[in-house]
Amino acid sequence: MQDKDIQDNEIRVIGGENKPSRPFTRNLWKWVAPGLIIAGLITTYTIIPKADKTESGEPGYFEPAPETTMPVQPGFRRLGSETDSLTRGFIQSIDTTVNDIPLRIFIPHNAEMTLHVGSLDKQDTSIIFVAQAADIRRDNKKIVGAFVLKGKPLAWGLSKTGYCAVIENKITIGVAENSSLFESATEKEGYFFRQYPLVDNGKSVDNEPKNKAIRRSLCERNGEIMMIESLTAESFHDFAQALVDLSITNAIYLVGSESFGWTVNEKNKRIAFGVEKLNLPPNTSYIIWRKNR
């Protein structure tokens, strides 16, 4: 039997170097190469875009972050009108409704706030706003909570955590069990009183009384000071929430219900609210805004 004879059970590669034929290789690449190209295109247009989408929240180097292009929220616009500093002091009144609660907003212009204790002088034409400030105790008729009147402490209680300080014509409204502003008001002939807190840094504060009544408050809204009252009887909770939804930053309570006061508008017309009662306790206190020109 010669070597070139092939048996039935034998496989022998024919060729000098036992290599597969080149035509076969070229034919194979004709099919494989297009497949690789198609696979690359699929990867480019499917996988890569998905990766970009998952990182779309990251701000780009040249593109500003989304929040920097957002318009200013309406809640941070002033409520009061712009007034010339030479204009005679007055109280701007704005009626609005928040959460189905009708509110009246009083905004002072060209005026300064102080505290007052005792009967009011209704003949004082410099007064453009009056509202009761701190409460008094039923038993001894003394002022509830810490109170400073032009540098003189009249009460030292801490039963209510809301406070207002007026020191060198700067008004600060806040919530704290202890405040160094009490001492500052004493040292600098300022004013200080405590009341129920309503809003603390934009969040409502719950209070124990659950009844409904006309509510009044002293508020700070992004640096703008104002007084707000409900025109209907409301709970502390609902009133405080309405203030929050009005974008009030900080607020404390003022004596509400039928307590007496008045406001003077731009036309120099006095408008009273509440019920005027005679023979009030001598320690009845008020916030008073006087026109500064």
PDB file of all heavy atoms in Angstrom, residues 95-110:
ATOM      1  N   ASP A  95     -56.164  92.470  50.657  1.00  0.00           N
ATOM      2  CA  ASP A  95     -57.036  91.331  50.948  1.00  0.00           C
ATOM      3  C   ASP A  95     -56.703  90.180  50.005  1.00  0.00           C
ATOM      4  O   ASP A  95     -56.546  90.386  48.795  1.00  0.00           O
ATOM      5  CB  ASP A  95     -58.502  91.710  50.799  1.00  0.00           C
ATOM      6  CG  ASP A  95     -58.994  92.586  51.942  1.00  0.00           C
ATOM      7  OD1 ASP A  95     -58.233  92.809  52.898  1.00  0.00           O
ATOM      8  OD2 ASP A  95     -60.145  93.055  51.864  1.00  0.00           O
ATOM      9  N   THR A  96     -56.632  88.986  50.551  1.00  0.00           N
ATOM     10  CA  THR A  96     -56.362  87.801  49.748  1.00  0.00           C
ATOM     11  C   THR A  96     -57.016  86.600  50.403  1.00  0.00           C
ATOM     12  O   THR A  96     -57.554  86.696  51.515  1.00  0.00           O
ATOM     13  CB  THR A  96     -54.837  87.572  49.591  1.00  0.00           C
ATOM     14  OG1 THR A  96     -54.611  86.516  48.648  1.00  0.00           O
ATOM     15  CG2 THR A  96     -54.196  87.194  50.913  1.00  0.00           C
ATOM     16  N   THR A  97     -56.980  85.461  49.737  1.00  0.00           N
ATOM     17  CA  THR A  97     -57.541  84.218  50.278  1.00  0.00           C
ATOM     18  C   THR A  97     -56.521  83.103  50.095  1.00  0.00           C
ATOM     19  O   THR A  97     -55.998  82.911  49.001  1.00  0.00           O
ATOM     20  CB  THR A  97     -58.855  83.837  49.569  1.00  0.00           C
ATOM     21  OG1 THR A  97     -59.813  84.882  49.764  1.00  0.00           O
ATOM     22  CG2 THR A  97     -59.415  82.536  50.152  1.00  0.00           C
ATOM     23  N   VAL A  98     -56.241  82.391  51.166  1.00  0.00           N
ATOM     24  CA  VAL A  98     -55.307  81.272  51.132  1.00  0.00           C
ATOM     25  C   VAL A  98     -55.976  80.071  51.801  1.00  0.00           C
ATOM     26  O   VAL A  98     -56.432  80.163  52.943  1.00  0.00           O
ATOM     27  CB  VAL A  98     -53.992  81.617  51.863  1.00  0.00           C
ATOM     28  CG1 VAL A  98     -53.042  80.419  51.842  1.00  0.00           C
ATOM     29  CG2 VAL A  98     -53.324  82.832  51.232  1.00  0.00           C
ATOM     30  N   ASN A  99     -56.041  78.957  51.079  1.00  0.00           N
ATOM     31  CA  ASN A  99     -56.689  77.747  51.623  1.00  0.00           C
ATOM     32  C   ASN A  99     -58.119  78.031  52.075  1.00  0.00           C
ATOM     33  O   ASN A  99     -58.551  77.561  53.133  1.00  0.00           O
ATOM     34  CB  ASN A  99     -55.881  77.181  52.797  1.00  0.00           C
ATOM     35  CG  ASN A  99     -54.472  76.792  52.397  1.00  0.00           C
ATOM     36  OD1 ASN A  99     -54.187  76.552  51.225  1.00  0.00           O
ATOM     37  ND2 ASN A  99     -53.583  76.732  53.383  1.00  0.00           N
ATOM     38  N   ASP A 100     -58.826  78.817  51.299  1.00  0.00           N
ATOM     39  CA  ASP A 100     -60.210  79.201  51.602  1.00  0.00           C
ATOM     40  C   ASP A 100     -60.323  80.057  52.856  1.00  0.00           C
ATOM     41  O   ASP A 100     -61.428  80.229  53.394  1.00  0.00           O
ATOM     42  CB  ASP A 100     -61.107  77.955  51.752  1.00  0.00           C
ATOM     43  CG  ASP A 100     -61.233  77.173  50.449  1.00  0.00           C
ATOM     44  OD1 ASP A 100     -61.200  77.816  49.376  1.00  0.00           O
ATOM     45  OD2 ASP A 100     -61.344  75.932  50.503  1.00  0.00           O
ATOM     46  N   ILE A 101     -59.217  80.611  53.341  1.00  0.00           N
ATOM     47  CA  ILE A 101     -59.230  81.490  54.508  1.00  0.00           C
ATOM     48  C   ILE A 101     -59.010  82.921  54.029  1.00  0.00           C
ATOM     49  O   ILE A 101     -57.948  83.235  53.474  1.00  0.00           O
ATOM     50  CB  ILE A 101     -58.140  81.095  55.515  1.00  0.00           C
ATOM     51  CG1 ILE A 101     -58.395  79.682  56.049  1.00  0.00           C
ATOM     52  CG2 ILE A 101     -58.067  82.098  56.669  1.00  0.00           C
ATOM     53  CD1 ILE A 101     -57.309  79.171  56.979  1.00  0.00           C
ATOM     54  N   PRO A 102     -59.988  83.796  54.210  1.00  0.00           N
ATOM     55  CA  PRO A 102     -59.785  85.200  53.816  1.00  0.00           C
ATOM     56  C   PRO A 102     -58.834  85.893  54.783  1.00  0.00           C
ATOM     57  O   PRO A 102     -59.010  85.823  56.004  1.00  0.00           O
ATOM     58  CB  PRO A 102     -61.197  85.786  53.878  1.00  0.00           C
ATOM     59  CG  PRO A 102     -61.927  84.921  54.856  1.00  0.00           C
ATOM     60  CD  PRO A 102     -61.344  83.546  54.738  1.00  0.00           C
ATOM     61  N   LEU A 103     -57.831  86.549  54.238  1.00  0.00           N
ATOM     62  CA  LEU A 103     -56.819  87.220  55.050  1.00  0.00           C
ATOM     63  C   LEU A 103     -56.733  88.687  54.672  1.00  0.00           C
ATOM     64  O   LEU A 103     -56.962  89.062  53.524  1.00  0.00           O
ATOM     65  CB  LEU A 103     -55.444  86.576  54.848  1.00  0.00           C
ATOM     66  CG  LEU A 103     -55.291  85.088  55.162  1.00  0.00           C
ATOM     67  CD1 LEU A 103     -53.907  84.611  54.764  1.00  0.00           C
ATOM     68  CD2 LEU A 103     -55.555  84.819  56.632  1.00  0.00           C
ATOM     69  N   ARG A 104     -56.385  89.509  55.652  1.00  0.00           N
ATOM     70  CA  ARG A 104     -56.097  90.919  55.399  1.00  0.00           C
ATOM     71  C   ARG A 104     -54.661  91.182  55.838  1.00  0.00           C
ATOM     72  O   ARG A 104     -54.279  90.901  56.980  1.00  0.00           O
ATOM     73  CB  ARG A 104     -57.067  91.823  56.127  1.00  0.00           C
ATOM     74  CG  ARG A 104     -56.839  93.320  55.914  1.00  0.00           C
ATOM     75  CD  ARG A 104     -58.100  94.098  56.236  1.00  0.00           C
ATOM     76  NE  ARG A 104     -59.164  93.809  55.254  1.00  0.00           N
ATOM     77  CZ  ARG A 104     -60.464  94.001  55.495  1.00  0.00           C
ATOM     78  NH1 ARG A 104     -60.862  94.488  56.671  1.00  0.00           N
ATOM     79  NH2 ARG A 104     -61.369  93.722  54.567  1.00  0.00           N
ATOM     80  N   ILE A 105     -53.874  91.717  54.916  1.00  0.00           N
ATOM     81  CA  ILE A 105     -52.456  91.961  55.161  1.00  0.00           C
ATOM     82  C   ILE A 105     -52.227  93.455  55.330  1.00  0.00           C
ATOM     83  O   ILE A 105     -52.675  94.264  54.509  1.00  0.00           O
ATOM     84  CB  ILE A 105     -51.610  91.435  53.981  1.00  0.00           C
ATOM     85  CG1 ILE A 105     -51.904  89.952  53.729  1.00  0.00           C
ATOM     86  CG2 ILE A 105     -50.117  91.640  54.251  1.00  0.00           C
ATOM     87  CD1 ILE A 105     -51.310  89.420  52.438  1.00  0.00           C
ATOM     88  N   PHE A 106     -51.541  93.829  56.420  1.00  0.00           N
ATOM     89  CA  PHE A 106     -51.216  95.225  56.691  1.00  0.00           C
ATOM     90  C   PHE A 106     -49.703  95.401  56.570  1.00  0.00           C
ATOM     91  O   PHE A 106     -48.936  94.771  57.306  1.00  0.00           O
ATOM     92  CB  PHE A 106     -51.670  95.633  58.093  1.00  0.00           C
ATOM     93  CG  PHE A 106     -53.154  95.479  58.330  1.00  0.00           C
ATOM     94  CD1 PHE A 106     -53.652  94.373  59.011  1.00  0.00           C
ATOM     95  CD2 PHE A 106     -54.055  96.435  57.880  1.00  0.00           C
ATOM     96  CE1 PHE A 106     -55.007  94.232  59.248  1.00  0.00           C
ATOM     97  CE2 PHE A 106     -55.418  96.295  58.106  1.00  0.00           C
ATOM     98  CZ  PHE A 106     -55.895  95.191  58.787  1.00  0.00           C
ATOM     99  N   ILE A 107     -49.284  96.278  55.655  1.00  0.00           N
ATOM    100  CA  ILE A 107     -47.858  96.492  55.414  1.00  0.00           C
ATOM    101  C   ILE A 107     -47.514  97.951  55.709  1.00  0.00           C
ATOM    102  O   ILE A 107     -48.050  98.862  55.076  1.00  0.00           O
ATOM    103  CB  ILE A 107     -47.486  96.148  53.968  1.00  0.00           C
ATOM    104  CG1 ILE A 107     -47.865  94.695  53.661  1.00  0.00           C
ATOM    105  CG2 ILE A 107     -45.995  96.376  53.723  1.00  0.00           C
ATOM    106  CD1 ILE A 107     -47.653  94.291  52.231  1.00  0.00           C
ATOM    107  N   PRO A 108     -46.634  98.198  56.683  1.00  0.00           N
ATOM    108  CA  PRO A 108     -46.265  99.585  57.019  1.00  0.00           C
ATOM    109  C   PRO A 108     -45.277 100.178  56.018  1.00  0.00           C
ATOM    110  O   PRO A 108     -44.386  99.487  55.519  1.00  0.00           O
ATOM    111  CB  PRO A 108     -45.619  99.436  58.402  1.00  0.00           C
ATOM    112  CG  PRO A 108     -45.085  98.039  58.418  1.00  0.00           C
ATOM    113  CD  PRO A 108     -46.007  97.219  57.577  1.00  0.00           C
ATOM    114  N   HIS A 109     -45.452 101.459  55.728  1.00  0.00           N
ATOM    115  CA  HIS A 109     -44.536 102.193  54.857  1.00  0.00           C
ATOM    116  C   HIS A 109     -44.079 103.459  55.582  1.00  0.00           C
ATOM    117  O   HIS A 109     -44.903 104.198  56.134  1.00  0.00           O
ATOM    118  CB  HIS A 109     -45.218 102.566  53.537  1.00  0.00           C
ATOM    119  CG  HIS A 109     -45.531 101.394  52.669  1.00  0.00           C
ATOM    120  ND1 HIS A 109     -44.594 100.778  51.864  1.00  0.00           N
ATOM    121  CD2 HIS A 109     -46.696 100.694  52.479  1.00  0.00           C
ATOM    122  CE1 HIS A 109     -45.146  99.772  51.210  1.00  0.00           C
ATOM    123  NE2 HIS A 109     -46.425  99.699  51.565  1.00  0.00           N
ATOM    124  N   ASN A 110     -42.775 103.682  55.583  1.00  0.00           N
ATOM    125  CA  ASN A 110     -42.189 104.860  56.216  1.00  0.00           C
ATOM    126  C   ASN A 110     -42.682 105.014  57.659  1.00  0.00           C
ATOM    127  O   ASN A 110     -43.204 106.053  58.063  1.00  0.00           O
ATOM    128  CB  ASN A 110     -42.506 106.120  55.409  1.00  0.00           C
ATOM    129  CG  ASN A 110     -41.868 106.081  54.027  1.00  0.00           C
ATOM    130  OD1 ASN A 110     -40.865 105.415  53.805  1.00  0.00           O
ATOM    131  ND2 ASN A 110     -42.470 106.784  53.078  1.00  0.00           N
TER     132      ASN A 110
END
